Amino acid sequence: MCGIVGYIGKQPALPILLQGLRRLEYRGYDSAGVAILESRKQNLEYSSPVLERVRSVGRIDALDERVRQGGKLTGGTLGIAHTRWATHGWITEENAHPHTDCTGDLMLVHNGIIENYREIRARLGERHALQSKTDSEILAHLIETHYKGDLRAAVSSALQHACGTYGLAVMHRAHPDEIVAARLGSPLVIGVGDGEHFIASDATPMLPYTKRVIFLNDGEIATVFRDRLPVVNLKSAIVDKHIEELDWNDEQAQKQGYPHFMLKEIFDQPTVLKDAIRGRFNMEEGAAHLGGLNMSEDEMRAVKRVSLIACGTASYAAMVGKYAFERLAGIPAEIDVGSEFRYRDPIVDQHTLVFAVSQSGETADTLAALREAKRKGAYVRGIVNVIGSTIARESDGGTYIHAGPEIAVASTKAYTNMVAVLLLYALQFGRLRRVTVATGQRLLQAITKAPGQIETILSRGGDIERIAQKYKGIEHALYLGRGINFPVALEGSLKLKEISYIHSEAYPGGEMKHGPIALLSKNFPVVAIATQDQMYSKMCSNIEEIRSRRAPVIIVATEGDVWARELSEDVIYVPPTMELTAPLINTIPLQLLAYYMAALLGRDVDRPRNLAKSVTVE
Ligand code: F6R
């Protein structure tokens, strides 16, 4: 969702900014723009700096083409750029960022929403001729009214009047050596190089140049020069910032020969799953120990409820966590999507342990829910992928899932790693309550076996592609699963609809007869997850019912299940595992099925329409 890139240094800014925007494409956008300030030398003297801006609707390639055609922006070493995901105003060039003020000397890129923009607009009056319908342009004009020669001071006083959320970067023709960056509720990272700085909504644009970063906190404003970056808070008091070292590498953020990031990330899973569990368990004791939990054994024993908050795919991983906590630790667990939890006055207290589960660590609804839980006195822990993200920093502890950069909008490897970490957490609590060494060991063996089993499934990708080829013309699909395979069905169905645009729904198998069965026909295939577990015979009955209505069935079955082959020619076999670890295994063929369907239909797999990777608005 909207991406900001900024650069100030010694190198030409344009290629860095365009490459940075491309690396943020995964967040989702519909238009893009760039502004660069160039101090041109004439007869050994610097003439007044030239500030140029180019914007375009559509892909970065369109922007790149336009820049090239205009022959503009080539020499400057300072600039800002933006990908816009429309919230206020249509997708037009006028509404694309950077926005400017009446003088044309100030350029601004903004992520977030200025909630009181109508009031500010009214206060600015007719003197300010606005070019766009965005809330962001209002900020450029607001800063203009406060500008008296000090850019940082102008940004700072303007922001006192803005309500809402912002991550922003501002540059000015009269300030060829600085970019002012500010954050409230919308992330900004500053990469520290040698005589140069990079600004971005997340760390991916700066990975080729530096791994040394500073995360801005809410209410902080940085004046980013080439060689230093003083940071102040909204009261102008200096804030001490620490440089952090990222452990992601640039290679992880590349496609490495795969046609899409999504496929590459599906294939990353055996490796990153090992990263999620490494050093976090003790096989001999059948126990897990996630240090980030930050709770004494007494505090752990006093936990009476677990509440898991998340959105989308992360919420389906969280649902697996619910089953695991109840089964292993005997602690009642509930899952809530962030947008519901934050408004429904949830019952949480000092005996409630709340996990905020998020790949990006920036999802606005999950973050708001986390803050609500903290306010009510719960223990709040994050299960997060992006290092230094807001949820990671605002939780009182927690665990990184170590999936590495996930670029495709559709989440795959982050889901798997979230499930693994939740299983370990459930085991950690379970061993203090009712789980024996032997049960703990069995679970750990199943988890450690999973990467190899996932490899086996991936090696059979061709069979899944053939099934996708057969079904790619369908308009609807139903996914069914029971018990711990219900979240698997939900996740498989979400993957299919979001990247292929085929309508699909997921139900617990037992619910089919209460409604969805009415939909079944020979054109309405059902994906049934029927691996060997305590619900197997119930799923078999469901499959018989589906077949009686002549609906085709794609069965996900355990290797060796001959019956599945008798019932359907479309069977995807998966290696056997424990019931609790089934989501680690059974979700993989569903990811591949969705991927191949979308790819065969020619969809924009990595950037499905209307979706954003990091949903930082409510
Ligand atoms: C689906 C998907 C989304 C995210 C959701 C939460 O493939 O990616 O449903 O899972 O927007 O995002 P995070 O995990 O970043 O909080």
Side-chain angles (χ1 to χ4, degrees):
M1 196 160 267
C2 294
I4 287 177
V5 189
Y7 174 75
I8 177 165
K10 306 172 268 195
Q11 310 181 52
L14 182 64
I16 295 173
L17 294 174
L18 289 179
Q19 188 196 38
L21 289 185
R22 285 202 165 88
R23 285 167 167 260
L24 291 181
E25 276 191 309
Y26 74 93
R27 296 166 70 93
Y29 71 103
D30 39 53
S31 54
V34 53
I36 286 183
L37 187 60
E38 182 177 358
S39 307
R40 288 185 187 146
K41 251 186 186 170
Q42 280 176 345
N43 305 328
L44 298 175
E45 298 281 319
Y46 280 105
S47 62
S48 131
V50 180
L51 182 57
E52 286 179 315
R53 165 180 73 167
V54 177
R55 296 176 295 171
S56 160
V57 167
R59 295 282 175 220
I60 312 292
D61 288 344
L63 177 70
D64 197 345
E65 185 58 34
R66 203 169 255 209
V67 170
R68 247 188 280 234
Q69 276 169 4
K72 286 177 165 185
L73 310 169
T74 46
T77 55
L78 179 161
I80 55 177
H82 189 265
T83 44
R84 172 173 186 253
W85 191 82
T87 57
H88 292 58
W90 297 107
I91 303 164
T92 60
E93 191 177 320
E94 292 70 39
N95 289 339
H97 301 219
H99 289 292
T100 189
D101 61 353
C102 295
T103 66
D105 286 341
L106 179 145
M107 291 285 168
L108 167 145
V109 289
H110 165 235
N111 287 357
I113 293 179
I114 302 303
E115 284 161 8
N116 60 339
Y117 82 101
R118 281 195 194 82
E119 292 147 48
I120 300 176
R121 171 82 195 87
R123 249 184 285 143
L124 288 171
E126 296 306 313
R127 287 166 292 121
H128 290 263
L130 300 186
Q131 310 296 321
S132 79
K133 296 272 178 276
T134 65
D135 52 331
S136 306
E137 189 192 3
I138 299 284
L139 273 184
H141 289 267
L142 188 61
I143 296 169
E144 178 193 354
T145 62
H146 287 269
Y147 179 69
K148 298 194 175 52
D150 181 337
L151 186 58
R152 205 268 300 148
V155 172
S156 178
S157 7
L159 291 179
Q160 315 282 339
H161 302 272
C163 300
T165 53
Y166 52 78
L168 56 91
V170 186
M171 59 194 268
H172 196 288
R173 191 204 300 268
H175 299 267
D177 296 311
E178 70 188 90
I179 299 175
V180 175
R183 168 200 164 132
L184 189 77
S186 189
L188 270 190
V189 186
I190 303 176
V192 181
D194 181 13
E196 58 185 356
H197 285 117
F198 307 83
I199 300 164
S201 316
D202 66 47
T204 38
M206 52 197 77
L207 283 179
Y209 311 101
T210 183
K211 294 205 185 87
R212 302 173 69 229
V213 296
I214 285 173
F215 295 101
L216 280 193
N217 285 326
D218 279 351
E220 291 179 351
I221 305 176
T223 316
V224 186
F225 299 99
R226 286 179 173 78
D227 55 352
R228 67 207 152 90
L229 66 144
V231 177
V232 295
N233 61 22
L234 282 174
K235 294 194 176 111
S236 296
I238 293 280
V239 183
D240 250 348
K241 299 297 288 182
H242 298 288
I243 296 181
E244 295 180 40
E245 196 81 29
L246 293 173
D247 70 353
W248 287 3
N249 64 51
D250 191 36
E251 221 184 35
Q252 290 173 308
Q254 303 298 326
K255 278 193 208 150
Q256 295 169 7
Y258 287 91
H260 296 102
F261 277 110
M262 183 176 172
L263 190 61
K264 183 230 162 207
E265 287 159 8
I266 291 173
F267 275 78
D268 275 350
Q269 289 174 112
T271 310
V272 299
L273 177 52
K274 288 182 202 150
D275 296 339
I277 57 178
R278 185 172 300 119
R280 290 175 166 172
F281 62 89
N282 181 323
M283 186 64 85
E284 211 175 310
E285 292 169 11
H289 44 79
L290 293 140
L293 182 62
N294 281 347
M295 287 170 87
S296 69
E297 290 195 352
D298 283 345
E299 285 172 325
M300 286 170 71
R301 282 194 190 92
V303 168
K304 295 203 166 55
R305 284 150 57 93
V306 169
S307 183
L308 298 133
I309 47 180
C311 300
T313 286
S315 74
Y316 302 144
M319 200 180 281
V320 176
K322 167 189 158 68
Y323 282 92
F325 262 97
E326 293 186 342
R327 186 83 60 86
L328 294 173
I331 305 176
E334 57 177 18
I335 106 115
D336 239 318
V337 289
S339 52
E340 288 299 313
F341 184 97
R342 64 187 290 192
Y343 293 120
R344 80 168 166 85
D345 200 10
I347 301 165
V348 289
D349 57 21
Q350 71 277 25
H351 298 299
T352 310
L353 170 60
V354 172
F355 285 105
V357 188
S358 172
Q359 187 286 129
S360 62
E362 302 294 348
T363 302
D365 285 323
T366 309
L367 182 59
L370 173 158
R371 288 176 179 156
E372 187 59 27
K374 266 179 111 169
R375 204 169 293 129
K376 297 205 154 125
Y379 294 101
V380 176
R381 303 295 182 259
I383 295 180
V384 173
N385 191 36
V386 176
I387 292 154
S389 56
T390 312
I391 292 177
R393 285 178 296 130
E394 291 204 13
S395 308
D396 303 321
T399 299
Y400 285 119
I401 60 170
H402 294 316
E406 193 180 63
I407 308 291
V409 164
S411 190
T412 51
K413 59 180 180 171
Y415 164 90
T416 306
N417 280 20
M418 285 167 184
V419 168
V421 165
L422 281 161
L423 290 174
L424 292 182
Y425 265 125
L427 176 61
Q428 188 160 344
F429 277 82
R431 287 289 283 117
L432 284 187
R433 293 168 187 238
R434 55 193 206 180
V435 172
T436 60
V437 181
T439 307
Q441 285 172 336
R442 264 206 312 282
L443 178 71
L444 289 171
Q445 271 150 8
I447 296 175
T448 48
K449 231 172 142 184
Q453 296 179 315
I454 294 174
E455 257 163 30
T456 306
I457 299 168
L458 296 176
S459 71
R460 299 174 188 156
D463 297 340
I464 299 172
E465 189 174 4
R466 271 187 289 283
I467 297 177
Q469 182 73 42
K470 177 169 165 190
Y471 288 99
K472 68 172 197 253
I474 59 168
E475 287 178 8
H476 312 276
L478 179 65
Y479 283 67
L480 291 183
R482 283 174 180 255
I484 204 147
N485 278 319
F486 172 48
V488 173
L490 286 164
E491 175 57 5
S493 164
L494 178 65
K495 285 287 92 81
L496 182 71
K497 76 176 86 147
E498 67 182 338
I499 59 167
S500 72
Y501 317 145
I502 294 168
H503 165 237
S504 118
E505 298 186 40
Y507 272 85
E511 276 292 288
M512 189 178 69
K513 56 189 174 297
H514 298 291
I517 198 164
L519 295 169
L520 298 186
S521 72
K522 63 179 179 11
N523 299 320
F524 204 120
V526 179
V527 180
I529 300 119
T531 45
Q532 301 287 340
D533 59 29
Q534 52 170 331
M535 305 309 288
Y536 175 70
S537 60
K538 303 279 177 205
M539 273 309 293
C540 292
S541 308
N542 283 140
I543 293 171
E544 299 280 13
E545 287 157 13
I546 298 162
R547 300 238 336 141
S548 324
R549 271 95 196 155
R550 302 203 183 287
V553 200
I554 302 165
I555 307 176
V556 177
T558 307
E559 283 165 2
D561 184 342
V562 187
W563 178 85
R565 176 64 78 210
E566 277 169 22
L567 276 183
S568 171
E569 59 191 48
D570 300 312
V571 182
I572 303 171
Y573 281 114
V574 293
T577 186
M578 271 178 88
E579 194 164 327
L580 277 177
T581 43
L584 294 175
I585 306 299
N586 297 354
T587 311
I588 312 298
L590 304 186
Q591 294 171 345
L592 285 172
L593 185 64
Y595 169 79
Y596 285 123
M597 297 270 251
L600 290 166
L601 288 169
R603 306 289 191 235
D604 191 350
V605 174
D606 285 337
R607 295 182 297 258
R609 68 185 179 205
N610 304 335
L611 288 174
K613 181 71 181 163
S614 182
V615 186
T616 50
V617 296
E618 190 177 343

